[in-house]
Amino acid sequence: MRQRSLVILTSVLTTGALTLTACGSRNNDSKGGDNGDVTVTIGVDAPLTGQNSATGLGIQYGAQIAVDDANKNKTVPGVTFKVKALDDKAIPATGQQNATQLVAEKDVLGVVGPLNSGVATQMQQVLDTANLVEISPSNTAPELTQGKNWQTKKVRPFKNYFRTATTDALQGAFAADYAANGLHKKKAFVVDDKQTYGAGLSKIFKEQFAKQGGKVIGTDHVSVGDRDFSTLVTKIKNSGADILYYGGQYDESQVLTKQLKDAGAKIPLFGGDGMFTPTYINTAGKAAEGDLATSIGVPVDTLPAAKDFVATYKAKKYPGDYGTYGSYSYDATTAIIKAVGQVIKDGKLPDDARAKVVDAVQHNSFDGISGKISFDEFGDTTNKQLTVYQVVNGTWKSVKSGVANPK
């Protein structure tokens, strides 16, 4: 993401069962721990209210379904898994507070998340210090795994951090290639929301669009929470741009595209996975028609392995959007579950279980519902698949899938 992020927290007792409750947590459907099993609580850190909550809830319930499946199938004999969801409201400081709270709980063995890359920057150090594994289903900022100077020298900053989403280095390039060679656009106006995810994605799009022969004829910024884009709309309309590229989330872009079209600028808005959600279309209405977004992987509804996941999500009538990161959340949760299974011996966990879970995740490889799940030396997913979607007749339609090849 979108700052594309999911946090999974695992709490474990070596003897007896433990049921956790905490301020800020949400109810879960999991049962278990009644037969003397070790209870592992997988926590989710994501925006569950306010900004970005549609995708955040998709992450929460993607994790819930993975946990329910593990309990039903007894994936790890002698272990019952539960979910504990924490709401970071897409605020970095809140994510950091959640990470600190979880580190203090000695039963917690792992973390998956968060949704937003900006939140991740404030959580990584806290969790790394405690040897807590962190897997995000949605973070895409390259520096999270490859360091601040990733374009010249890649250095992994935190050995405990992983992600099942590919990076903006590929996503931005994939969008630029499609804009220039698929849509045959020549002049782009580029806007970002000044956040880690949005600014980084826009920067890569600008670089790659120019290399593809396009011209960036204007740039600007908005702030998270903005709703009046009249001045910006006038600037974009007068620029002569034939496409608007937006780096940020759906909350602002869904309003911007409507005001842009209402002003008579009939050009498509193209963004990243941060705006790939039905909420964007529902809010923007007819103004969204023809707009585009890239997202990680391929459409979840087309994946045979995800058929049961999608059916369960719909049958449970879970809130939020499962289509953006739900399957990646499911797979991130499963990676933690499998790692716990490798660490536990004779029904007990070793004293250094946290560190051993990190090592197990690094070396895990399995077929997930979103594709092959494994991680490279930086903690990045080895699955580099991306898809361009376009709003056609009021729904997101896949128009191109593949792997980006930045120039």
Side-chain angles (χ1 to χ4, degrees), residues 262-280:
D262 287 347
K266 306 301 183 183
I267 63 174
L269 186 151
F270 198 165
D273 54 321
M275 53 176 270
F276 177 60
T277 171
T279 303
Y280 177 88

Side-chain angles (χ1 to χ4, degrees), residues 18 44 191-192 207 213 254 279 378 395:
L18 175 68
V44 175
V191 177
D192 69 69
E207 293 171 351
Q254 64 195 10
T279 303
F378 300 103
T395 60

